[in-house]
Amino acid sequence: MNVLITGANGFVGKNIQAAFIERKDVTVATIGRQSTVEELEQAVTQADFIFHLAGVNRPVNPEEFAEGNNGFTQTLCALVKNTGRKIPIIYTSSIQAVRDNPYGVSKRGAEDHLLALQAETESPVYIFRLPNIFGKWCRPNYNSAVATFCYNTINELPLTINDPNAQVTLVYIDDLVGYFIRLMDGQVNAETFPEVDPIYTATVGELAHQIQAFRDCRTSLISENVGTGLVRALYSTYVSYLAPQQFSYTVPKYGDPRGVFVEMLKTKDAGQFSFFTAHPGVTRGGHYHHSKTEKFLVIKGEACFRFRHILTDETYEQCTSGENPVIMETVPGWSHDITNVGNDEMVVMLWANEIFDRSRPDTYAHKV
């Protein structure tokens, strides 16, 4: 399939191009601001599907709205008509198309040209009246509050918020691009004006608070709930604005004659992750918990785990090594320790089901 992307160097265009990197069955032609009408005509002639993303939203003169949105779309439609083929077109319009401002009028005019093309040639047309789009590569300090908040927070710049209670409607770029490609592949049936799912809503203040919370995670080590929904999408967007020299950050390391202990990540409701080391012959632990549970994974060296029931004195022992990954769990009411029985340093990953609370550690010394 030959795909044409107009506005290919814009935010949405870059993300669609990136999605096609994995597609060996798709050849992509791109049209940008510097492309000529002749180049556009040649690309349209060869196209099997068109992503029409080109547009003007921050012109120097308001007249550019009509030329860049309405006029360019009129030219594109004429070229499609001249091919004599039914070429499907996805158009990124805007929720502003229902408003009588210069931008909205120009987007609605572009829609009208596409609808006329569809009526005359039966070329399938899909017009997306999109809300605020956010995600990687969106230009900060331009027309996206999310992009601006992410960039400014990472670079310790102030956030300007006029009304923290103002509601914002959002769509995440990966959700949008994924829907576009499924539509192209015929995996979804869509009307002329489809709606992308999911659509998120939040206040400007909520967005700012959440994005600043991502920054604070590097200090507290407590992760936000970044696995699903809007917070997942915001976090992915946030880290995309890190400069390469900002990819890394240090965490505290606690050492004593036995080895070192390092906390990596804490969660609000699913415990924390850390690792520790032990020199040959060193034993760590020697305590029990009433409720806390842990999982140990030896990733280097040889270890012997020992357990003793605190009431019955029943004992159990098991050895593991980094060569054969085995998860060892600690069980409430059983004291436990771990000994490095090898000749090299031992490295052990550790997950605990709760964040360590020094005021209520639930950790009691007891001989194993």
Side-chain angles (χ1 to χ4, degrees):
M1 177 181 289
N2 293 318
V3 167
L4 166 61
I5 305 174
T6 72
N9 296 322
F11 165 44
V12 179
K14 288 178 181 178
N15 277 275
I16 290 181
Q17 288 190 70
F20 282 132
I21 292 175
E22 299 102 44
R23 294 288 295 263
K24 305 304 180 184
D25 60 331
V26 172
T27 300
V28 178
T30 60
I31 294 293
R33 291 185 183 276
Q34 306 305 316
S35 301
T36 64
V37 174
E38 291 73 21
E39 290 171 331
L40 176 62
E41 181 177 11
Q42 181 180 3
V44 169
T45 301
Q46 299 174 348
D48 301 309
F49 199 100
I50 297 174
F51 292 90
H52 179 26
L53 317 175
V56 173
N57 56 19
R58 284 284 187 94
V60 176
N61 300 309
E63 293 78 14
E64 296 178 45
F65 280 131
E67 179 182 353
N69 296 326
N70 192 334
F72 182 81
T73 302
Q74 184 178 24
T75 299
L76 176 66
C77 289
L79 293 175
V80 171
K81 180 180 176 181
N82 290 342
T83 67
R85 297 187 295 120
K86 301 175 183 178
I87 306 174
I89 302 174
I90 284 177
Y91 176 54
T92 50
S93 186
S94 167
I95 55 176
Q96 297 284 328
V98 299
R99 300 184 179 179
D100 289 328
N101 56 48
Y103 176 63
V105 169
S106 69
K107 295 298 271 188
R108 190 163 63 250
E111 292 179 0
D112 290 342
H113 289 303
L114 290 163
L115 292 172
L117 175 69
Q118 179 174 248
E120 188 172 351
T121 68
E122 297 184 352
S123 292
V125 169
Y126 307 99
I127 298 171
F128 289 79
R129 287 181 170 175
L130 296 169
N132 297 277
I133 314 170
F134 71 99
K136 65 182 182 297
W137 306 330
C138 187
R139 182 176 169 184
N141 298 297
Y142 186 61
N143 61 356
S144 168
V146 171
T148 301
F149 288 171
C150 288
Y151 178 85
N152 285 15
T153 298
I154 285 173
N155 292 285
E156 300 182 355
L157 299 173
L159 305 187
T160 301
I161 301 174
N162 296 322
D163 181 4
N165 296 316
Q167 288 279 338
V168 182
T169 305
L170 302 160
V171 62
Y172 180 48
I173 187 63
D174 284 2
D175 295 329
L176 180 65
V177 170
Y179 188 92
F180 280 178
I181 292 178
R182 290 194 299 274
L183 183 56
M184 181 194 75
D185 288 339
Q187 296 176 358
V188 294
N189 295 318
E191 302 295 329
T192 301
F193 288 90
E195 292 188 2
V196 179
D197 181 62
I199 297 290
Y200 300 109
T201 58
T203 68
V204 175
E206 288 169 342
L207 291 174
H209 176 77
Q210 182 61 79
I211 289 167
Q212 289 177 320
F214 296 148
R215 173 201 58 199
D216 298 339
C217 291
R218 286 192 167 190
T219 302
S220 69
L221 302 184
I222 302 176
S223 173
E224 295 292 294
N225 295 325
V226 297
T228 58
L230 177 60
V231 179
R232 169 184 176 270
L234 287 173
Y235 184 66
S236 178
T237 303
Y238 174 80
V239 297
S240 75
Y241 289 93
L242 293 170
Q245 62 270 24
Q246 296 171 313
F247 287 178
S248 64
Y249 60 100
T250 60
V251 293
K253 179 173 69 173
Y254 307 97
D256 59 32
R258 300 173 301 171
V260 301
F261 175 77
V262 177
E263 293 176 312
M264 174 187 173
L265 178 69
K266 303 175 183 180
T267 69
K268 295 178 178 179
D269 57 7
Q272 68 177 59
F273 297 86
S274 55
F275 80 88
F276 63 85
T277 66
H279 303 303
V282 166
T283 298
R284 305 194 71 148
H287 54 243
Y288 67 87
H289 315 292
H290 284 301
S291 297
K292 181 189 298 185
T293 64
E294 300 159 316
K295 296 178 186 288
F296 293 84
L297 173 63
V298 177
I299 59 175
K300 176 187 175 185
E302 299 179 16
C304 182
F305 290 87
R306 299 187 304 163
F307 301 85
R308 180 182 295 274
H309 195 284
I310 63 175
L311 294 183
T312 68
D313 277 338
E314 178 185 355
T315 61
Y316 178 73
E317 182 177 300
Q318 182 172 339
C319 293
T320 70
S321 74
E323 297 296 321
N324 299 294
V326 173
I327 300 291
M328 295 294 298
E329 294 209 65
T330 65
V331 178
W334 288 75
S335 61
H336 48 271
D337 64 22
I338 176 174
T339 301
N340 182 351
V341 294
N343 297 319
D344 299 315
E345 181 182 57
M346 179 179 69
V347 181
V348 182
M349 290 295 300
L350 167 63
W351 169 82
N353 70 314
E354 59 188 45
I355 295 176
F356 182 72
D357 183 351
R358 293 189 181 277
S359 66
R360 300 181 61 187
D362 189 18
T363 301
Y364 305 92
H366 191 274
K367 180 182 177 181
V368 180

